[in-house]
Amino acid sequence: MKSIDDAAAAWTPTEESIEATNLYALMREQGMKTFPEIHGWSVQDPDAFWDRTIRTLGVVFRKPYSRILDSSGGASRARWLEGAELNIAESCFQGAGDRAAIVTKRTDGRIETITVDALDGLSNRVANGLSALGLGKGDAVAVDSSMTAEAVALYLGVLKMGGVVVSIPDSCPPAEIAKRLRIGEAKAVFTQFELARGGKRLPMYEKVLQAEPPTTIVLGDHETELRLRDGDLAWERFLSASERFESVSCSPHDAINILFSSGTTRDPKAVPWDHTTPIRSAADALYHHDVRPGDVVCWPTNLGWMMGPWLIFASLMNRATIALYEGSPIERGFCEFVQDAGVTMLGLVPSIVKGWRNASCAEGLDWSRIRAFSSSGEASNAHDYRWLMHLNQPEGVTKPIVEYCGGTEVGGGYLSNNLVTPQQPSEFNGKTMGVDFVVLDDQGRPCPPGESGEVFLVAPALGLSTRLLNGDNEAIYFNDCPRWAGKTLRRHGDQIRVLGEHRYQSEGRADNTMNLGGIKASSAEIERVVSDLPGVSEAAAIGVPPATGGPDRLVIYAVAGDDDAGRLKAAFQKAIKERLNPLFHIHAVVRVEALPRTASNKVMHRALRSQFQASEEEAGRDGP
């Protein structure tokens, strides 16, 4: 793949475009001329950087902080905004009340605009409704819903009440829903009666009921109430009539959201976000995605994944509008909505871009208002993204793509493009403001240009998790980590190739976790599902990126008697759909006599990945 050093950059900012960015305003203020300079300042003086950022975002405090960072307990237990009291939801309703907070296209085709005042009032009705149910500060409320205007209001309403959102992806099967309700100790659940997807109406409430949930509030049509379980409530009946509510004051370290990140244990890791985490999300949007007041930000996602909450805070705390489409992003209607809503920053996962190219559903529109695209969730394909940079733009115009890599445990990104530096598709041109890292090889040495290794984050950094509900944060992220230049390093698990000074490329997961269609999944959870099937002795699941780059493909190696690979694949796919996630699609199943193992009897997933890639290369040499 060509890079900036051996080819003209695919996108180069003009002097005018650089000077218009939020990042340039900070560079000018600090007397710095390059991104490496301003990034170095942000990690060397976190107190000054975060104090300035908090003031720029206009974060609302009930009681100001006495200290930005207290790391006296060690880098792994750092505490931020000591002495402060706040409710971060209040920072989402700044500026003129009549400006648009959300623009949404409903399933019936209507485009509706919700103002800041209207969203504030609706979230207050949610908070009052929860209080009427006897819920209060610290209580957990689960959300299993697509990303709608109502979902945003209920999310913010839970926070205003001092509560904690338990995030559940709308694709989760009942067993996974039950698991998250148990871990998060949810006392109520929000869901939809049905979910519109791909022109179909899929039952949601019925699926949630199989998880034996607590009191459930259901969004649906006017007849929904007639079909509910005793004790459950229709949305309109649940909502309070009062649009006034005094947000509950909280500590910066009180939880606001329990998000789940797959790991190698039986349960997914339960990661609490607190009232400081959204500041990381909003800061990344401010400096890297260049979100400005009056912008329209669109990113197909839902509250079950970190990009759902990220979208709320990244948009509203920067006084921008959230654009929501009730339907599939891989259809013409979504692409038309991007045009009609005047989207200025469009976030995607690479699978969506590939879907547009395959379906030819995105061309012939006016996307000239888009200043930048963004991409997260999985490694991207350079050919697809070079096509995206020109999509629906005037002739000769190229738009940048903000590659964005981070995770639930980061609260945002650690690696991201910036808009003051030239870029190539599928490459990163810098680290994220306020976060530092080093890429180490297997011997613990920093990787030189041209080599890849595992990334380790430098702690502390605002946004990094300091606890887990069902695990030892210290043991998982810090134990046995090397030190670098006298600094405490934190394990993250991504494999990164160093292309040059301040230039990187993602190669997916370094451990046994993979990204499938933008959703992080562990080998262990897939292996548990398929290994339970009759005739299967053992199995190993790996994520394999295509040779040309792009999202991981799920490949399963199986020791399974006489069953042929075709029958195994069908059985595995059915089990994964029903018990784990219907969005995980198997690329290939390979029958083997035994799985390769280390001396300590661990399955060698990396060896299987290399073996599969080698077989593809061999097939490519032998024929079409």
Side-chain angles (χ1 to χ4, degrees):
M1 181 182 299
K2 290 184 177 181
S3 64
I4 293 172
D5 284 348
D6 54 25
W11 177 81
T12 301
T14 64
E15 184 176 348
E16 181 182 17
S17 71
I18 289 174
E19 292 180 355
T21 63
N22 297 320
L23 188 56
Y24 180 79
L26 180 63
M27 293 167 62
R28 182 178 56 198
E29 177 187 290
Q30 297 300 319
M32 298 174 182
K33 296 182 178 180
T34 67
F35 181 77
E37 285 181 290
I38 196 66
H39 176 267
W41 171 75
S42 77
V43 296
Q44 292 158 17
D45 194 348
D47 285 8
F49 168 69
W50 285 112
D51 183 69
R52 195 275 190 187
T53 299
I54 286 166
R55 286 187 285 108
T56 300
L57 293 171
V59 177
V60 177
F61 290 93
R62 299 291 185 85
K63 181 181 176 182
Y65 47 83
S66 58
R67 189 175 184 180
I68 286 280
L69 170 61
D70 178 4
S71 55
S72 59
S76 64
R77 297 183 179 90
R79 295 180 67 82
W80 297 86
L81 310 186
E82 282 293 275
E85 293 181 8
L86 76 163
N87 188 306
I88 198 63
E90 294 184 325
S91 298
C92 294
F93 299 98
Q94 302 181 80
D98 61 352
R99 67 177 177 84
I102 298 173
V103 57
T104 180
K105 188 167 186 178
R106 302 292 192 176
T107 53
D108 62 7
R110 290 180 298 117
I111 292 184
E112 183 179 345
T113 299
I114 295 95
T115 66
V116 171
D117 282 347
L119 180 61
D120 191 16
L122 184 55
S123 62
N124 286 339
R125 294 178 69 191
V126 170
N128 282 314
L130 292 169
S131 297
L133 292 177
L135 301 181
K137 186 175 180 179
D139 287 334
V141 179
V143 179
D144 188 351
S145 165
S146 59
M147 195 74 172
T148 63
E150 289 75 19
V152 174
L154 66 86
Y155 184 93
L156 293 170
V158 174
L159 269 56
K160 285 183 174 183
M161 181 201 71
V164 184
V165 173
V166 178
S167 291
I168 301 179
D170 59 16
S171 57
C172 271
E176 292 298 310
I177 296 172
K179 188 181 296 183
R180 286 157 174 77
L181 294 177
R182 171 179 55 81
I183 295 171
E185 299 182 354
K187 295 185 176 180
V189 181
F190 282 97
T191 191
Q192 296 164 274
F193 193 79
E194 294 178 319
L195 176 67
R197 178 170 288 162
K200 299 178 181 179
R201 309 292 297 186
L202 305 178
M204 281 287 291
Y205 176 60
E206 177 184 315
K207 183 176 70 168
V208 170
L209 285 185
Q210 295 178 52
E212 299 182 354
T215 300
T216 302
I217 297 98
V218 187
L219 289 86
D221 59 29
H222 65 282
E223 294 183 357
T224 294
E225 189 173 359
L226 302 176
R227 295 174 280 180
L228 299 186
R229 180 184 63 171
D230 287 346
D232 291 345
L233 296 169
W235 171 251
E236 291 297 335
R237 180 176 287 273
F238 157 78
L239 286 175
S240 167
S242 174
E243 295 188 354
R244 299 180 64 84
F245 184 85
E246 181 71 21
S247 297
V248 174
S249 186
C250 300
S251 158
H253 303 289
D254 287 339
I256 63 166
N257 199 168
I258 306 301
L259 289 141
F260 295 87
S261 178
S262 292
T264 56
T265 56
R266 177 162 294 277
D267 288 335
K269 296 193 295 290
V271 183
W273 280 18
D274 63 27
H275 286 264
T276 71
T277 315
I279 298 173
R280 153 63 59 197
S281 303
D284 287 356
L286 175 73
Y287 296 124
H288 293 275
H289 300 84
D290 197 41
V291 176
R292 309 172 191 172
D295 275 352
V296 180
V297 181
C298 182
W299 201 313
T301 183
N302 72 61
L303 294 173
W305 311 110
M306 66 153 285
M307 292 309 297
W310 185 94
L311 177 63
I312 293 174
F313 299 118
S315 304
L316 298 183
M317 289 180 66
N318 282 294
R319 299 171 177 82
T321 301
I322 304 171
L324 301 175
Y325 180 80
E326 296 185 359
S328 169
I330 310 178
E331 61 185 24
R332 180 69 175 181
F334 174 83
C335 301
E336 291 173 346
F337 172 68
V338 170
Q339 170 187 270
D340 298 341
V343 169
T344 57
M345 203 289 287
L346 177 58
L348 305 158
V349 295
S351 301
I352 293 176
V353 180
K354 187 172 293 293
W356 286 346
R357 292 196 73 180
N358 291 340
S360 300
C361 65
E363 295 90 343
L365 298 168
D366 180 2
W367 285 5
S368 59
R369 290 196 61 187
I370 292 176
R371 286 203 313 277
F373 297 97
S374 188
S375 176
S376 187
E378 56 195 10
S380 60
N381 180 291
H383 301 295
D384 288 345
Y385 273 34
R386 191 174 292 275
W387 171 82
L388 178 64
M389 295 173 102
H390 298 275
L391 180 61
N392 294 328
Q393 302 300 326
E395 186 175 352
V397 174
T398 303
K399 295 296 174 72
I401 301 174
V402 180
E403 292 274 4
Y404 189 49
C405 183
T408 305
E409 302 94 329
V410 181
Y414 67 87
L415 185 58
S416 181
N417 279 356
N418 62 77
L419 299 181
V420 300
T421 309
Q423 64 172 246
Q424 286 282 34
S426 301
E427 292 186 11
F428 297 86
N429 63 15
K431 301 175 180 180
T432 304
M433 294 288 286
V435 183
D436 202 4
F437 65 80
V438 61
V439 182
L440 302 179
D441 63 18
D442 290 340
Q443 284 72 49
R445 299 171 301 199
C447 290
E451 294 189 6
S452 65
E454 185 174 348
V455 68
F456 290 85
L457 308 183
V458 177
L462 192 148
L464 298 183
S465 66
T466 57
R467 63 190 177 102
L468 300 172
L469 290 191
N470 58 348
D472 186 332
N473 193 81
E474 183 96 12
I476 291 173
Y477 296 113
F478 291 93
N479 282 7
D480 302 322
C481 280
R483 288 183 65 82
W484 171 69
K487 298 177 180 178
T488 299
L489 296 184
R490 172 187 168 117
R491 184 178 296 103
H492 187 68
D494 286 346
Q495 188 85 1
I496 297 293
R497 178 170 297 276
V498 179
L499 299 176
E501 190 174 13
H502 312 296
R503 291 178 40 243
Y504 309 89
Q505 189 171 56
S506 172
E507 295 188 336
R509 298 294 295 176
D511 55 16
N512 297 330
T513 307
M514 63 198 85
N515 274 300
L516 302 175
I519 300 171
K520 194 162 76 172
S522 73
S523 296
E525 61 186 344
I526 294 171
E527 290 161 6
R528 282 195 300 272
V529 169
V530 301
S531 295
D532 284 345
L533 298 177
V536 180
S537 301
E538 57 180 351
I542 57 174
V544 182
T548 55
D552 286 344
R553 299 165 299 165
L554 174 57
V555 176
I556 300 176
Y557 280 78
V559 179
D562 296 329
D563 279 354
D564 66 43
R567 283 197 297 269
L568 281 175
K569 182 177 180 181
F572 288 176
Q573 188 66 72
K574 183 174 184 293
I576 289 171
K577 177 181 178 180
E578 293 176 352
R579 296 175 52 191
L580 191 59
N581 196 314
L583 302 181
F584 294 168
H585 297 291
I586 299 172
H587 174 71
V589 170
V590 181
R591 279 190 67 256
V592 291
E593 295 299 320
L595 297 176
R597 294 183 178 273
T598 65
S600 60
N601 207 37
K602 292 182 179 179
V603 175
M604 299 170 64
H605 289 82
R606 287 191 185 182
L608 290 173
R609 189 177 296 110
S610 298
Q611 178 181 321
F612 189 84
Q613 290 172 321
S615 68
E616 286 192 314
E617 291 176 5
E618 186 66 30
R621 286 194 293 268
D622 291 344

